[in-house]
Amino acid sequence: IAPRQFDFRELKHVYDWIEVYGLDEEAVLELVSHCMDQKGRRVSVNYIDAVARSWSEAGVWTRDAARAHLAKYELKKHGASEILRQWNKQRKPTKAETAFYDKWVTEWGFTPEAIISALPKLTVSGTPNFVYLDELLENLLKEGQTSQPEMERADAKTAEEQAFARLVFERAGKLEPATRTQRAQISMYLRDYAMPRELLLFGAEQCKGANEPFGMMKKLWNDWHDAGITSIEAARARMESKPQGFNAKPKKVDYAQNELTDEQINRILVDLDKDIL
């Protein structure tokens, strides 16, 4: 059987692969050849026995089934190996790493190109690994990004949001970049509220110099949205129609002063040199 020679004790295992595990003789040839590729010519019979058991449990009993199974295995192995190569790791993938890759492709529906495209998104403080990548891909799966075109569209959308948010903050006089939450909120006014970009920028300009410009921006934008305002002219008119403008400060209250006569003052003064009974 293949180039691997089996002694008398090992032949019992060979018979088990056929009689117990249900592999036909051609499948056994594929089995031994595969195990030798993995472990070399002196591969142990116990290793082959373990692989034979896994094949039987997976329903791999014929030569055609074995070849299809091995083709799938090589695809997973190649994909996991490519990830390691991208990380400059010169080694073969472990069984656990291959299992991760199989889950991403088979269960989650990621394309091999999408997995490679996701690698630059992996920002971790330590060395990148399959566990961190699994968490990243799970998040992308929830966002519906399982192919390279879907990821590219999402990346383009993110870049557009960042650029517009940066412009909004510049108009408001804010130097720090917008957070992810702030970018999402700005996008909400564009996408969900369908407010024109120039109107949002005009609102940002009105909040320049405020202590909390972004909070004031949202208050202004919400007011315009509720009023159905979609142009700068209408927004300016609404601001002018409000008492003292939109950013009016509370009116100072002048409290009446109580003017006392000299006689009244003398009555309430206490001579500290005298004892108070």
Side-chain angles (χ1 to χ4, degrees), residues 119-155:
L119 297 183
K121 302 176 184 293
L122 190 62
T123 54
V124 293
S125 57
T127 303
N129 57 52
F130 279 70
V131 175
Y132 291 139
L133 182 55
D134 184 69
E135 295 175 356
L136 170 64
L137 293 177
E138 185 175 12
N139 290 331
L140 293 176
L141 176 65
K142 294 176 182 177
E143 297 173 1
Q145 301 179 42
T146 57
S147 68
Q148 189 172 9
E150 290 168 342
M151 288 185 181
E152 290 174 350
R153 285 193 293 269
D155 290 343

Side-chain angles (χ1 to χ4, degrees), residues 21-36:
Y21 296 151
L23 278 65
D24 63 25
E25 293 184 4
E26 291 180 329
V28 170
L29 291 174
E30 296 289 343
L31 169 71
V32 175
S33 178
H34 166 67
C35 291
M36 289 178 59

Side-chain angles (χ1 to χ4, degrees), residues 248-266:
K249 295 181 179 179
K251 184 177 180 180
K252 182 179 180 181
V253 179
D254 292 327
Y255 294 96
Q257 300 294 320
N258 188 10
E259 297 182 358
L260 301 177
T261 64
D262 291 342
E263 183 179 355
Q264 290 173 321
I265 293 175
N266 289 331

Side-chain angles (χ1 to χ4, degrees), residues 108-124:
W108 290 0
F110 280 92
T111 64
E113 297 79 12
I115 296 174
I116 297 300
S117 297
L119 297 183
K121 302 176 184 293
L122 190 62
T123 54
V124 293

Side-chain angles (χ1 to χ4, degrees), residues 99-111:
F100 268 125
Y101 192 87
D102 182 42
K103 179 182 70 173
W104 301 334
V105 175
T106 305
E107 297 180 21
W108 290 0
F110 280 92
T111 64

Side-chain angles (χ1 to χ4, degrees), residues 24-86:
D24 63 25
E25 293 184 4
E26 291 180 329
V28 170
L29 291 174
E30 296 289 343
L31 169 71
V32 175
S33 178
H34 166 67
C35 291
M36 289 178 59
D37 287 340
Q38 299 300 307
K39 298 294 184 179
R41 290 175 58 87
R42 300 180 65 84
V43 57
S44 72
V45 72
N46 289 332
Y47 175 81
I48 303 176
D49 190 71
V51 176
R53 185 184 304 112
S54 69
W55 280 22
S56 178
E57 292 172 352
V60 181
W61 301 306
T62 66
R63 181 184 62 181
D64 290 343
R67 289 181 175 178
H69 180 76
L70 291 174
K72 183 179 178 181
Y73 172 82
E74 288 300 322
L75 177 63
K76 292 185 293 182
K77 180 181 175 183
H78 173 74
S81 297
E82 178 60 22
I83 292 174
L84 292 174
R85 191 185 70 81
Q86 293 285 334

